[in-house]
Amino acid sequence: NGNVTLTKNVETTANLALNGGIIDGNGKTLNKENTTYNAADGTVNAGILPTGGTIKNLTVNNGMRGIFINHNSTNFGKVYLENVVIDGTVYTISCDQGTNSGLEAKNSTFNGWTSYAATIGDVKFVDCSFGEGQGYAFCRPYAPTEFVGCAFEAGYEIDARAAVSFENCTLNGEALTAENLATLVT
């Protein structure tokens, strides 16, 4: 718990934790050096492991997962992202366990594979952009998800496993319509 403001770029092999409070990247970059995942011992490789709280003004670069939400804790709450860029990771956002506390992202960029379990709770992306990263341009939401004012690059795909809605979004710079929605949502 508590608030942290970065004063310089951070290179680490460790996972940063956020159990409430705020991580203010202050325009800096978090470079996760270790990009492996050890399924045998369940090692989670992520830039930040929040159980709740706010992450803002930060670029997360490299690593298996940019942000791995794990509400399975005695401290849990909604996760807020504001002005966050996740690029260079395989997974941008990931969540395997949750308490239905939710996720809300504003003015953020997600380049890569975005996926989260139904137990994350309701998810809302506002004025966010979605594109290719590490060879992936894909979103698989297992929880109800709203996209408001979001921009999707050409070739981006959403494999909706739960209800998704779109308001004032674009695909490849053009307004999202019933016709081009079929190329985005598979």
Side-chain angles (χ1 to χ4, degrees):
N1 292 339
N3 300 333
V4 174
T5 300
L6 299 183
T7 58
K8 63 181 181 175
N9 294 332
V10 175
E11 292 195 21
T12 182
T13 58
N15 300 323
L16 300 182
L18 176 64
N19 298 313
I22 298 170
I23 292 178
D24 185 345
N26 194 28
K28 305 299 185 214
T29 298
L30 170 62
N31 184 11
K32 178 70 178 205
E33 294 174 358
N34 181 358
T35 61
T36 61
Y37 170 71
N38 186 345
D41 69 5
T43 300
V44 173
N45 179 310
I48 303 175
L49 298 169
T51 61
T54 300
I55 302 164
K56 63 183 185 176
N57 307 317
L58 179 68
T59 296
V60 180
N61 178 349
N62 235 350
M64 178 68 174
R65 294 175 171 99
I67 297 174
F68 182 74
I69 298 168
N70 186 0
H71 293 131
N72 190 16
S73 168
T74 55
N75 182 2
F76 57 87
K78 192 170 194 170
V79 174
Y80 296 92
L81 306 178
E82 184 178 332
N83 300 317
V84 172
V85 175
I86 305 174
D87 193 6
T89 64
V90 175
Y91 288 96
T92 61
I93 299 287
S94 185
C95 174
D96 293 342
Q97 301 176 37
T99 58
N100 296 303
S101 298
L103 165 69
E104 187 168 333
K106 293 181 179 177
N107 301 314
S108 295
T109 300
F110 303 93
N111 290 334
W113 184 308
T114 300
S115 183
Y116 38 84
T119 55
I120 195 172
D122 292 343
V123 176
K124 186 173 187 177
F125 295 100
V126 179
D127 298 328
C128 293
S129 63
F130 295 83
E132 189 272 329
Q134 293 292 325
Y136 298 100
F138 192 76
C139 180
R140 180 172 285 152
Y142 287 90
T145 303
E146 291 180 69
F147 297 95
V148 179
C150 292
F152 300 93
E153 285 184 2
Y156 197 88
E157 293 181 39
I158 297 175
D159 178 15
R161 302 297 175 99
V164 293
S165 64
F166 302 90
E167 179 183 331
N168 299 322
C169 294
T170 61
L171 175 61
N172 196 26
E174 297 180 14
L176 196 57
T177 64
E179 290 77 27
N180 63 12
L181 181 63
T183 65
L184 176 64
V185 180
T186 59

